[in-house]
Structures are given as structure tokens and as C-alpha cells.
Amino acid sequence: MNNIKFVEPHNIEKRSFELIQKELGDIILDPEKEPIIKRAIHTSADFDYLENLCFSENAIKNAKHAIKNGATIVTDTNMALAGINKKVAAKYGVNVHCFMADEDVFTEAEERGETRATISMERASKIEGPVIFAIGNAPTALIKLHEIIKEGKFKPELIIGVPVGFVNVVEAKELIMSLENLEYIVAKGRKGGSNIAAAICNALLYNI
Amino acid sequence: MNNIKFVEPHNIEKRSFELIQKELGDIILDPEKEPIIKRAIHTSADFDYLENLCFSENAIKNAKHAIKNGATIVTDTNMALAGINKKVAAKYGVNVHCFMADEDVFTEAEERGETRATISMERASKIEGPVIFAIGNAPTALIKLHEIIKEGKFKPELIIGVPVGFVNVVEAKELIMSLENLEYIVAKGRKGGSNIAAAICNALLYNI
């Protein structure tokens, strides 16, 4: 077929993580954060995630505890929803949900002149039991979560705050990091995306 | 709520593209490629896409013609599928499809010891009418497409070849670019992803 020697598909992921480590050279990562940082790099081939991922003190511990207790993961895009490993999530009784495409979310957003992300976060804050947010797209989702949490009515177990972009994104992430007693994993700066949000969720699910 | 002045949500995309242009400074892009390059940057906040996107001569013209003729877009992940604007696609009678999660694709892949991406590409090559591939994840999808096209049995209108990763990815992209008379948009090197594949499709759909 061709003369290139390809690595067998079942070995690709293992070999990829080895190559990432090789490129990191002497850098020693915090063992708890390591699978998350490496999976973000793996999903983007972008080593900026080595520097820009910020973790609150108990973010990972809290998230794993929540997963073991059947948390609901809420995303702000169907892309992030599609990227999260639902088979592994189901093992822990974890449900993954995105409100964005719901017809009534669209209608309410139109009526109130808000974004669908804002309405989705209001819906999510009514969920019973532990909740993890995986926000890879909408800064308005983070702005709304900041408001709801500030009011003291609701507290998620973790916010993965990794929207990507050039407008409102940096500021919205800073807002999340300014909250006291909130556990977060945030990609500081402009970078992130639904793929990064899903990768961080998967890294948590694979390393309970 | 907070003291940060946020840009109104409905202006975010417009403002984002302005900021991208501002950062490009004096660089003048080919007007046909510009919306594609800028949308890849918009979706990743990664200016490497300014350098790494390679277009065959008639890639964009061919793709737009195919879209206007109701092409089928085939993705190699449900994430890319989720990220493509189906409403705009439907306007042109464009159907977007991903075979990866089909039960019988899984079964056949197991039986034959192939990847699901390989089987999916075989299925896709049987589609009637014009086909555009949006490959953001699986190098084996590109390797299989290369093989099928070499045999002369099938020719897609465009291959968007932007898998991301550290193993087999660079080589698989080079294989696609080595094909004669094939139209492609390839992200040379390691970078890419389902988000980039979807962004390129959307840029094509938004600029017919």
C-alpha cells in the first residue's frame, strides 16, 4: 500500500503519551495533574497546556470524589458532550448532559434576550446531586455560573473553565478563578475549546 | 454582578475576527483561504494555523461546488459531526454523517482486526454523489482513503485532513498530499483535531 511504517492503532495512545513525555524532557509534573495536562496536549498537540492549566487546590480530589458519587457532568456544547467517554462515565453512574440544543432553552433565551449558555447554566444549577461543569466554548456560561455561585444558592464540585477565544474569554476565566472556595481547572488565557473540555473530563474519568 | 465590561454575545464572533485580523497585522491572506484560516484560528486561538494549512489548487472551488450540489460530509468522530452547522448544511441539501458509532461498523472492525475509522471510510466510499471528508482524529482514516483513491475506485471532492497527534499523523497527512488530482485541505504537522475539521467545514458552508 505504501512504504511508511505505521504504529499499530492499538498502540497509538500509549506511544503518543511516551512521545509527549519525551518532549517534556526533565520536566516533572505533579503526578495528580500529569494525566490531565498530558491529555490536553495529546488532544491538541499544543504544549501551551503545560503552562496555562491552573488548578485550584482540591480540584482533582473533589472531582474524583464527585465522579465516584455519580456526579452529573454538564457541558456547554454538543461537541464536548460527544467527546466525553460515556461508557466510562456510566461505570460510575455519571450522566453527561448538555442543555444547549433543547428547544425550550432556545425559546427562553430568545424571550429573555440571553444566550442559550446562560439559560443552560440556570437549568444546570437546579440539578440534584454533585455537578461538574465542562465549559469549552461560552464565556457567558462562566459569567452566569460566577453570578449563581456568588449568590450562594448553588455550588458545583468542579468547574472546568476552558472556553477558547478572543472576546470575553480571558476575563470570564479570571472571574471563575476569583471565586473563593470554588474548585476549578482553568486554561488561563485565550486557549481551550470543547476538545480540551472533553479531554480533561476523560483524564479525570480514566484516572479515578 | 461584576465590573468587567463584556462584549455583547451577538457581537462576539464579529469582534473576534477583527481581533484576529489585528494580530495578523500587515499579513494579507488569499481571500478565498482567509475565512478558513481565520476560523481555524478562531476555534483554537492558535496562530499556527496561519502557517500549517495547505490547500491543493482547486480545493475550495471544488468543495463549494460540491456543497451546492448537495454533497455528503463524512466525519471520523461524533465530535466533528456535532461541531458542523447542520442548519446551514441543510440549506444546501448537505447531509453530515459519521459511521464511527454504528454497531455494525464496530462488529466488522472487531472481526477484521481493523480500526472503526478504516471500516467507516470503506462505507463512505460507497456513498452516491459528491463526498467531502472531514477527518480530525484518525490517521487510519486517511491511510484507508489513500488506499481506496489509489485503486481508482472512488474520488471524493475534498479531503479535509486534519487529524491531531504524535503517532502516524504527520505521515498520514503526507500520504494524502502525495495523491495526484486529489483536492485537499491539510494541516501539515501534528496539529488539528475534530474542532478544526468542523471549523473548516463551517467556513466553507458560511462562504459559498
Side-chain angles (χ1 to χ4, degrees), chain B residues 179-201:
Chain B
L179 284 166
E180 275 171 40
N181 300 318
L182 176 79
E183 302 301 339
Y184 61 76
I185 301 174
V186 164
K188 219 173 146 73
R190 289 169 171 175
K191 286 190 176 176
S194 298
N195 52 338
I196 302 295
I200 293 173
C201 285

Side-chain angles (χ1 to χ4, degrees), chain A residues 107-202:
Chain A
T107 311
E108 189 175 339
E110 287 279 297
E111 282 169 4
R112 288 175 47 196
E114 301 277 1
T115 68
R116 286 184 296 150
T118 299
I119 309 298
S120 294
M121 294 305 111
E122 290 179 357
R123 304 272 160 113
S125 71
K126 306 285 190 293
I127 292 172
E128 302 268 329
V131 179
I132 292 171
F133 287 94
I135 308 300
N137 183 60
T140 52
L142 294 187
I143 296 167
K144 190 66 192 179
L145 285 175
H146 173 262
E147 183 188 324
I148 295 171
I149 293 163
K150 268 246 158 177
E151 289 170 357
K153 292 178 192 158
F154 170 71
K155 196 182 158 201
E157 301 305 312
L158 175 73
I159 294 181
I160 299 167
V162 296
V164 59
F166 294 82
V167 176
N168 299 349
V169 164
V170 174
E171 299 85 346
K173 288 170 176 173
E174 295 290 336
L175 268 186
I176 291 300
M177 289 194 282
S178 75
L179 285 165
E180 277 172 37
N181 300 317
L182 176 79
E183 302 301 339
Y184 61 78
I185 301 173
V186 165
K188 220 173 147 71
R190 289 169 172 176
K191 286 191 174 176
S194 298
N195 52 339
I196 302 295
I200 293 174
C201 284
N202 288 337

Side-chain angles (χ1 to χ4, degrees), chain A residues 7 23 143 147 168 190, chain B residues 1 7 23 143 147 168 190:
Chain A
V7 175
E23 237 167 275
I143 296 167
E147 183 188 324
N168 299 349
R190 289 169 172 176
Chain B
M1 173 179 89
V7 174
E23 238 169 274
I143 297 166
E147 182 188 325
N168 297 351
R190 289 169 171 175

Side-chain angles (χ1 to χ4, degrees), chain A residues 14-84:
Chain A
K14 183 171 170 284
R15 185 78 189 116
S16 297
F17 279 85
E18 286 168 3
L19 287 169
I20 292 169
Q21 180 55 55
K22 199 175 162 193
E23 237 167 275
L24 294 182
D26 294 337
I27 299 169
I28 295 168
L29 298 172
D30 175 312
E32 210 186 19
K33 297 175 187 169
E34 185 176 336
I36 295 170
I37 295 169
K38 285 189 177 170
R39 193 161 286 276
I41 295 171
H42 176 256
T43 210
S44 61
D46 188 341
F47 282 83
D48 280 5
Y49 292 100
L50 186 61
E51 304 292 343
N52 68 18
L53 288 176
C54 302
F55 299 77
S56 66
E57 198 181 338
N58 297 306
I60 298 170
K61 202 170 65 185
N62 238 40
K64 290 185 178 176
H65 184 78
I67 289 168
K68 280 188 261 186
N69 285 285
T72 302
I73 298 175
V74 176
T75 69
D76 69 327
T77 58
N78 280 316
M79 269 192 89
L81 178 69
I84 295 170

